[in-house]
Amino acid sequence: MTAPHVVVVGGGVAGAAVAYFAVQGGAQVTVVDAGQHAASGVPSALINPVRGQSGRVDPQGLEGLRLTWALVGRLREAGVDIPHGQSGVLRPVPDGHTRGKFERNLPVDLPHAWLAPGDFPTPLGPGWPHALWLPEGGWLDGAAFTVGLLNVARAEVVRARATKWDAHSVTLEGGEVLHGDAVVWCGGAVGAGWTGMTQTVRAGTLLTLNRAVTQVAVSFGAYLAPAARGSVLGATFEAPTPGWREPALPLSSLCWLLGKADALTDLSGAQVAGRWSGTRLSGLQVGRAEWGGWQLSGLGSKGFLLGPLLGRHVAGDVLRTCGEARSV
Ligand SMILES: Cc1cc2nc3c(=O)[nH]c(=O)nc-3n(C[C@H](O)[C@H](O)[C@H](O)COP(=O)(O)OP(=O)(O)OC[C@H]3O[C@@H](n4cnc5c(N)ncnc54)[C@H](O)[C@@H]3O)c2cc1C
């Protein structure tokens, strides 16, 4: 029997993960990717299961984190080194009330410890009486990880914009039509905008710094994380908008970001080397889509925490359905 052919629209971390696991499952995969405005190009993404300022953890967060690190290991075995640090995430909290909130929400199976200032693994500014230490967290280079998955999968990548798709075909700009046993939509924020979807998106900007200012990733309000070169300070997040637009960097956002970072640690001596802007899409959509194909989108700020895990679920469901369709 010939391998099922899966066509994936979008080559960010969502599409790359679906492609990787579909190939692992025996499919022939074509990824159609415009290569524009991918949020997955983030130079240093936190692998942080405890998001926000409430201590809440996604029920799949720990499994997602472990799969992402396992994939970094598999890519290394395949000869692709991803800049990363599986070196923990430090989440300082400003007071006992916030710590209490975190403690109420942290699941018992999540490895963590509460540290006092003398035990912090990297020096922080004054005013942080406690910090939550997440030893399994860390950071990775989003672009390198995404491209690494696609390369190791050896999926065929067609650099083009898809203008139309249905359950079994994708039409490219210029009119060429690709046919497949299944089509998976992974177009992210920009793709949702191009299609006229009005899901909420948020543009955000990171500053890249010429040197590391903390030894490990640190996050409360803003985040500081090592990167392949120097480090990053992220992220300004602009007001949510219904639909994608070119990210901007208002000076007020920059002042806010620098203020948050200054409270976290001493930035003196580091220089801004550049900026990176992207847009994230909220409203997770995983699985069968109304138009008959499949989708993985709306990963919000958890693209690298959950994208690979959900990509594996979607690829599995797609291949099972293709197998059932062929056996009737
Ligand atoms: C500033 C910022 C900081 C972030 N920090 C973190 C972090 O610390 N940790 C974390 O886990 N996540 C983080 N995220 C979120 C993460 O980057 C996203 O959740 C994730 O990258 C989304 O991946 P995706 O594959 O769904 O979409 P994308 O990466 O946006 O990829 C979509 C791809 O599809 C292509 N495409 C769209 N439509 C079409 C079409 N019609 N035809 C062909 N191609 C198409 C696009 O050109 C693009 O290449 C951050 C995001 C931002 C913006």
Side-chain angles (χ1 to χ4, degrees):
M1 203 164 72
T2 54
H5 182 207
V6 178
V7 185
V8 179
V9 180
V13 68
V18 170
Y20 177 88
F21 286 109
V23 169
Q24 295 277 303
Q28 181 210 336
V29 177
T30 303
V31 177
V32 178
D33 184 40
Q36 290 173 30
H37 307 293
S40 303
V42 57
S44 183
L46 292 191
I47 306 304
N48 171 19
V50 185
R51 316 290 310 177
Q53 298 186 7
S54 65
R56 286 216 181 79
V57 176
D58 188 284
Q60 299 187 91
L62 189 55
E63 192 185 357
L65 169 151
R66 289 178 176 162
L67 179 62
T68 297
W69 291 135
L71 285 175
V72 169
R74 277 195 229 168
L75 296 184
R76 189 190 305 117
E77 281 160 24
V80 179
D81 266 322
I82 309 301
H84 75 286
Q86 200 175 343
S87 41
V89 171
L90 189 68
R91 305 240 26 220
V93 295
D95 49 48
H97 173 72
T98 314
R99 175 172 169 166
K101 211 163 40 162
F102 270 67
E103 281 173 331
R104 278 193 295 284
N105 287 324
L106 288 172
V108 282
D109 61 342
L110 180 78
H112 67 275
W114 285 98
L115 304 182
D119 301 322
F120 293 169
T122 191
L124 297 185
W128 301 104
H130 325 262
L132 176 67
W133 174 237
L134 299 160
E136 292 197 30
W139 65 273
L140 59 69
D141 184 312
F145 180 71
T146 303
V147 172
L149 283 179
L150 287 171
N151 286 347
V152 169
R154 293 185 198 280
E156 179 196 17
V157 178
V158 175
R159 192 61 75 201
R161 183 158 152 186
T163 53
K164 241 180 14 190
W165 47 92
D166 59 29
H168 297 293
S169 71
V170 173
T171 306
L172 308 184
E173 227 167 19
E176 190 189 343
V177 181
L178 305 179
H179 295 278
D181 296 289
V183 172
V184 188
W185 158 253
C186 300
V190 69
W194 285 341
T195 356
M197 296 177 199
T198 50
Q199 278 166 268
T200 303
V201 301
R202 277 190 94 171
T205 294
L206 307 172
L207 295 179
T208 55
L209 307 179
N210 67 334
R211 67 173 181 81
V213 285
T214 55
Q215 274 98 52
V216 299
V218 176
S219 161
F220 192 85
Y223 74 88
L224 283 153
R229 274 187 296 281
S231 59
V232 302
L233 162 59
T236 73
F237 275 109
E238 307 307 329
T241 55
W244 185 86
R245 59 182 73 157
E246 190 83 42
L249 178 54
L251 282 180
S252 55
S253 304
L254 199 50
C255 290
W256 175 90
L257 181 64
L258 290 169
K260 288 282 174 196
D262 219 23
L264 281 174
T265 195
D266 178 12
L267 290 176
S268 57
Q271 288 175 13
V272 174
R275 72 177 258 208
W276 177 87
S277 297
T279 310
R280 66 183 201 200
L281 174 70
S282 307
L284 187 62
Q285 295 189 318
V286 192
R288 205 83 205 224
E290 275 172 10
W291 45 272
W294 302 80
Q295 58 193 347
L296 174 54
S297 75
L299 289 167
S301 60
K302 300 178 197 157
F304 295 88
L305 183 71
L306 295 184
L309 180 69
L310 298 176
R312 187 171 71 178
H313 286 323
V314 171
D317 287 349
V318 168
L319 295 189
R320 258 188 303 282
T321 308
C322 289
E324 283 159 17
R326 284 168 176 226
S327 62
V328 281

